[in-house]
Amino acid sequence: MSAPAPASPDSSAPAGSAAPRPLTDQDIVSLAAAPDLLVAMDFDGTLAHFSDDPYGVRAIDGAIDALTELAAAPHTTAMVISGRNMDQLTRATELPADGPVLLVGSHGAEPSPAAAGSGASALELTDEQSQLLHDLGERAESIASGLPGAWVEYKPVAVGLHTRTVKDSDAATAAAAELRSFAAGHASSHITEGKNILEIAVVSTTKGEFIQGYRERVNPNDLTVVFAGDDTTDETVLSTLDYSRDLGIRVGGGATSANRSLKAPEDVRDFLQALAKARRQR
């Protein structure tokens, strides 16, 4: 089985060579015809709007239903891959970890069993990594305790300092710089900058590495990937897609390697609904 044709005449252009074009109906037609399709979506800023209450965030009405419909289509896999840890991700999506829509948390470090595949082993930290994770948590908590609105998120291999609700932007910047400086003094630290979050991991994990690994595991030659994301962490996927057959969508603007764009989560929802309909009718 050969790979499908590019989504449009310019989709094979070098990623990042120009501003991405808006998604088109022809893109949906091309994706619907792909022999084997992975529809992978970021969550915050892509399926859902940002909120000052991260625990209260839910996807735009209809978005999860569309992903569930796609997951039921032949030769189609639906996935949500997020920086959120798995507990937060299942709450936010209101999906079970063992459901038809694959869930991947913590930038790929925390996949559901179905997303990880058979034979996958749990990630184990060395004593040195475990100690560093503990120390990062203590330092982040110390920083957050003196900064109203800041809070610390814990993941299996990382600690995140959130500053979205900090009113003093200069203080938020200084707090992130303090944690960044502490982390930089440890060779095992891996620093990721997001929107109002500084995340320090003790192992290297990215969404892009996970998607690449998933492709290699399930169908390296014929799998078409469509991925949408809004943040710098999503560029680890968008910058590594094969734009002769894949489609990368940047949501909400910003520097990107994507070849398509959508403005807001509502547009992502509409795209998923249209793709689900087209995929079902192919």
Side-chain angles (χ1 to χ4, degrees):
M1 185 179 293
S2 61
S8 72
D10 73 336
S11 62
S12 59
S17 61
R21 296 192 323 169
L23 194 82
T24 67
D25 291 341
Q26 182 56 46
D27 294 326
I28 294 173
V29 170
S30 296
L31 290 171
D36 198 5
L37 180 65
L38 170 63
V39 182
M41 298 284 113
D42 171 46
F43 185 76
D44 293 279
T46 299
L47 297 176
H49 288 287
F50 287 101
S51 170
D52 290 344
D53 176 17
Y55 294 102
V57 172
R58 295 294 182 270
I60 292 293
D61 287 346
I64 298 300
D65 289 340
L67 278 175
T68 302
E69 185 177 350
L70 280 162
H75 304 289
T76 308
T77 301
M79 175 187 294
V80 180
I81 179 167
S82 170
R84 288 175 178 257
N85 64 42
M86 184 59 74
D87 181 62
Q88 289 185 2
L89 188 57
T90 55
R91 292 183 186 184
T93 60
E94 300 181 302
L95 289 169
D98 58 353
V101 177
L102 304 185
L103 298 181
V104 182
S106 301
H107 300 291
E110 200 176 3
S112 65
S118 61
S121 58
L123 183 64
E124 294 185 5
L125 299 181
T126 65
D127 290 344
E128 179 184 0
Q129 290 169 332
S130 295
Q131 183 61 51
L132 176 57
L133 189 63
H134 174 269
D135 294 345
L136 286 166
E138 283 196 338
R139 180 57 65 95
E141 290 286 2
S142 175
I143 294 170
S145 67
L147 187 61
W151 62 282
V152 179
E153 179 184 1
Y154 294 91
K155 301 179 181 181
V157 298
V159 169
L161 177 64
H162 289 260
T163 56
R164 181 176 180 82
T165 56
V166 175
K167 295 182 178 179
D168 186 336
S169 61
D170 290 337
T173 299
E178 182 180 346
L179 182 58
R180 188 186 303 105
S181 177
F182 176 78
H186 298 78
S188 297
S189 294
H190 300 270
I191 301 171
T192 300
E193 304 272 359
K195 291 182 178 177
N196 303 299
I197 177 176
L198 177 70
E199 183 170 306
I200 314 295
V202 297
V203 296
S204 177
T205 59
T206 69
K207 296 177 184 179
E209 289 170 347
F210 184 86
I211 294 296
Q212 284 184 307
Y214 183 87
R215 190 204 294 270
E216 289 299 316
R217 188 169 68 249
V218 302
N219 190 348
N221 296 319
D222 294 321
L223 182 66
T224 296
V225 177
V226 54
F227 172 81
D230 74 298
D231 203 351
T232 54
T233 59
D234 300 311
E235 291 299 317
T236 63
V237 182
L238 294 169
S239 64
T240 56
L241 292 179
D242 177 357
Y243 285 113
S244 69
R245 56 173 165 168
D246 299 332
L247 194 142
I249 304 168
R250 177 72 179 210
V251 182
T256 185
S257 298
N259 62 345
R260 293 293 182 270
S261 66
L262 288 170
K263 292 181 179 180
E266 287 83 359
D267 300 309
V268 176
R269 183 265 322 277
D270 293 347
F271 157 67
L272 292 173
Q273 290 177 334
L275 179 59
K277 180 179 179 181
R279 191 75 175 163
R280 184 176 66 247
Q281 295 176 344
R282 73 186 182 113

